[in-house]
């Protein structure tokens, strides 16, 4: 589910591998999922924080892409997905797999050492073959050093949860999407002018409860993989979000 201003809305954000709830499985046929593919070469895997930030940036890049707006070729699919439970699935690719992914419609973003490609939403049972054959597991990543100070837009990870990199990438993508939805045209324009820059950091344990209660956008996970249902995973923070999102 997703929360804004302390109020829970009747939607779920899904997770890095599964989503939905048992009471609505009969409607899965018309739901869409956002594929995110992270490049993980054996000889040069990306830093974990870079991968999380690239996933968040990829989601923002898709939402802001002209093909996803108005009468763009992706607008219908993105609109249907963005207005529902906006699930995301993170898969990994290397070598020839990655090159095949680049031939499919999508947007590739780079953040530090990480490359992530985001594709237009697809039906749950309608994945392109070159995406469906990719693995969900194997996205364990680590940081070789502590990340630097965050920028203006920060996605704060819950310090009390342990998540794989793939799971955390999906959660960062959810939080970036909530931040985008809560932003007005002027703030989106200013954010765009800064390259949609976003930082992902783990919150100080002493500050986490205050972040959750602050009225900022909060991701609440459906709990189908790795963590308990209803877990608050990420809080999206930005100066304009603290001022009401406009």
């Amino acid at each position: 589910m997703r929360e804004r201003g302390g109020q829970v809305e009747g939607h779920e954000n899904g997770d890095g591998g599964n989503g939905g709830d048992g009471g609505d499985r009969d409607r899965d046929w018309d739901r869409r999922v956002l594929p995110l593919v992270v490049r993980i070469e054996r000889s040069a895997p990306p830093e974990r924080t870079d991968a999380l930030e690239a996933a968040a940036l990829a989601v923002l890049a898709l939402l802001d892409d002209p093909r996803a707006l108005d009468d763009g070729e992706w607008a219908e699919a993105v609109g249907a997905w963005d207005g529902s439970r906006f699930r995301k699935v993170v898969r990994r690719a290397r070598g020839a797999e990655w090159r095949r992914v680049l031939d499919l419609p999508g947007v590739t973003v780079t953040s530090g050492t990480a490359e992530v490609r985001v594709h237009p939403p697809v039906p749950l049972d309608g994945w392109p073959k070159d995406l469906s054959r990719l693995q969900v597991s194997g996205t364990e990543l680590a940081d070789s050093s502590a990340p630097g100070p965050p920028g203006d837009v920060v996605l704060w990870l819950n310090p009390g949860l342990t998540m794989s990199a793939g799971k955390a990438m999906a959660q960062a993508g959810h939080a970036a999407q909530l931040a985008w939805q809560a932003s007005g045209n002027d703030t989106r324009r200013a954010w765009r002018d800064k390259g949609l820059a976003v930082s992902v950091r783990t919150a100080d344990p002493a500050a986490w409860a205050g972040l959750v209660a602050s009225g900022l956008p909060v991701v609440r996970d459906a709990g189908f993989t790795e963590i308990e249902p209803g877990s608050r995973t990420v809080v999206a923070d930005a100066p304009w979000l603290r001022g009401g999102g406009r």
Side-chain angles (χ1 to χ4, degrees):
M1 304 178 76
R2 58 189 176 190
E3 299 180 2
R4 292 197 191 116
Q7 300 299 311
V8 179
E9 296 182 10
H11 300 272
E12 288 173 317
N13 289 322
D15 54 40
N18 299 299
D21 59 40
D24 251 352
R25 292 192 190 280
D26 59 331
R27 298 193 67 245
D28 277 353
W29 62 270
D30 68 347
R31 291 185 181 158
R32 292 177 179 266
V33 61
L34 188 77
L36 291 160
V37 182
V38 56
R39 183 180 185 183
I40 303 181
E41 301 289 348
R42 288 189 178 91
S43 60
E47 298 280 299
R48 180 185 173 96
T49 295
D50 288 348
L52 270 58
E53 292 178 349
L57 180 58
V59 171
L60 294 169
L62 178 86
L63 292 171
D64 197 42
D65 193 288
R67 291 168 290 185
L69 305 173
D70 301 321
D71 296 323
E73 60 191 283
W74 301 342
E76 183 177 357
V78 172
W81 164 79
D82 186 43
S84 61
R85 298 185 176 188
F86 55 75
R87 303 173 182 180
K88 300 172 182 68
V89 171
V90 177
R91 301 194 176 200
R92 60 178 172 85
R94 62 170 61 98
E97 294 174 331
W98 178 254
R99 292 190 291 273
R100 285 193 292 268
V101 163
L102 296 178
D103 289 334
L104 299 173
V107 180
T108 302
V109 303
T110 301
S111 180
T113 60
E115 288 181 86
V116 170
R117 187 162 178 86
V118 59
H119 301 272
V122 297
L124 285 174
D125 297 323
W127 284 66
K129 180 174 64 174
D130 285 334
L131 292 180
S132 65
R133 65 177 54 167
L134 298 177
Q135 295 295 312
V136 176
S137 60
T139 55
E140 286 304 328
L141 301 170
D143 284 324
S144 59
S145 60
D152 288 340
V153 183
V154 191
L155 309 179
W156 295 109
L157 299 172
N158 185 337
L161 295 177
T162 299
M163 295 183 283
S164 68
K167 177 79 171 182
M169 288 173 66
Q171 301 300 307
H174 296 333
Q177 189 168 354
L178 288 180
W180 184 258
Q181 291 178 343
S183 299
N185 290 333
D186 290 344
T187 50
R188 285 181 180 178
R189 188 176 302 112
W191 196 1
R192 186 185 299 117
D193 289 344
K194 294 182 179 180
L196 299 175
V198 61
S199 303
V200 181
R201 298 290 187 271
T202 300
D204 186 307
W208 176 250
L211 286 168
V212 170
S214 66
L216 292 166
V218 180
V219 178
R220 197 170 88 175
D221 190 64
F224 281 81
T225 61
E226 298 192 23
I227 57 178
E228 291 296 317
S231 297
R232 275 84 167 174
T233 57
V234 193
V235 173
D237 193 0
W240 63 88
L241 296 178
R242 289 182 175 270
R246 301 293 105 182

